[in-house]
Amino acid sequence: MSWSRTTRAGVLAVTALSLPLLAACGDDADGKAAGAAKEPAAQDSSLVVYSGRSEDLIAPLLKDLEKATGAKVEVRYGDSAELAAQLLEEGDKTKADLFFSQDAGALGALGKNGRLAELPQKSLDAVDETFRADDGMWVGVSGRARVIAYNGDKVKDAPVSVNDLTKPQWKGKIGYAPTNASFQAFVTGMRVMQGDDATRAWLKDFKANEPQVYEKNGAVLDAVDAGKAELGLINHYYWYEKAAEVGEDKLKAKLSFPTKGDPGALVNVAGVGILKGTDADAAARKAVEFLLSEQAQTYFADETHEYPLAAGVSSKDELPALDSIGTPEVDLSKLESLDVTLGMLQEAGMV
């Protein structure tokens, strides 16, 4: 079985807004409740993974996953929100055994709708409780911090809060990617922290400050580095990836990590959950264990420049310690309310 990668452009908004409807469809397929147990297979001969992480990023790791589980790994790549909606629509008839999501919100949507099985306590305990589901339905395997990139030649006192970005001094000088999942997760986190009214007001003021629109985080960083934008909202690993490519001393772009508890300090995760009723439960559990192993965590640290969340692995990038970032106290499962966020972004004229 093989699938081609799907494209995010033009799909995310429709998919996320469809999650509630698709959940209803998946809950009563042919009169069966979603998550009803399947007849067990004779053995776990294959493991079907729905991956919201891109093929070029994790394909090498999934080859090692095949060795670790002893099962043939078959992967469907796509956008995390789109795949979550697909899994809700498929219900208990899905062929997927494991969902590897780029963000916690998509996992939260599946957990909320009863499509995930509770993970073994050993796997949950490998990760700080901040980066796993309270109900044990998913666990984070790598983390990425939101940061404010700034051009060191043009900016001497970089902002340390996203609330500073609505000040007149930054009018027309900020780059961001409003259709990118990481920006939308950040806005969702702000909604969870501060409420919809406060978030709506921030979006209105931020938009009035005439930020520069880019399609991706990488383009935002490039604009900041070139001086086309003085500030940019990105995930931390884009900077470390570029620094590894061209040399830190060649970069004019620098990073400001927002202060403790600021909405801009959100640390989101890529994580995994096992589909309820899977025929390959043993292989799926082994897969989760592997993704939390020293080998996989080192891969995330060294190859994707993300925060390893388990196994005591340190990053060669000398990242600020997670506990020093001061990520806000947000239940990451609640980032699943992306449909409301998209409505706000549309209302603000951002998407």
Side-chain angles (χ1 to χ4, degrees), residues 71-139:
K72 179 182 178 182
V73 175
E74 304 171 5
V75 189
R76 176 174 183 172
Y77 292 99
D79 172 82
S80 291
E82 179 188 359
L83 290 174
Q86 183 67 33
L87 286 165
L88 290 173
E89 184 176 31
E90 291 171 355
D92 65 331
K93 294 184 179 297
T94 185
K95 295 181 179 179
D97 304 302
L98 188 77
F99 181 40
F100 191 179
S101 178
Q102 183 182 352
D103 67 90
L107 287 160
L110 292 181
K112 179 180 179 180
N113 286 281
R115 291 302 303 127
L116 298 179
E118 188 171 355
L119 295 174
Q121 193 62 44
K122 178 182 178 181
S123 294
L124 295 170
D125 289 341
V127 173
D128 185 278
E129 61 183 8
T130 303
F131 306 116
R132 65 186 198 231
D134 291 343
D135 58 9
M137 296 299 170
W138 60 264
V139 64

Side-chain angles (χ1 to χ4, degrees), residues 18-30 32-34 85 88-89 91 113:
S18 301
L19 281 174
L21 176 60
L22 291 174
C25 293
D27 283 344
D28 194 27
D30 293 336
K32 296 180 181 179
L88 290 173
E89 184 176 31
N113 286 281

Side-chain angles (χ1 to χ4, degrees), residues 105 109 112 188 191-192 333-342:
K112 179 180 179 180
T188 306
R191 287 182 41 243
V192 173
S333 290
K334 292 184 179 179
L335 299 185
E336 55 84 21
S337 58
L338 183 59
D339 54 329
V340 179
T341 297
L342 284 165

Side-chain angles (χ1 to χ4, degrees), residues 49-73:
V49 179
Y50 278 25
S51 175
R53 309 225 66 186
S54 65
E55 184 174 4
D56 57 353
L57 193 69
I58 65 159
L61 187 63
L62 293 187
K63 288 183 180 179
D64 293 329
L65 178 66
E66 194 164 59
K67 297 176 184 177
T69 61
K72 179 182 178 182
V73 175

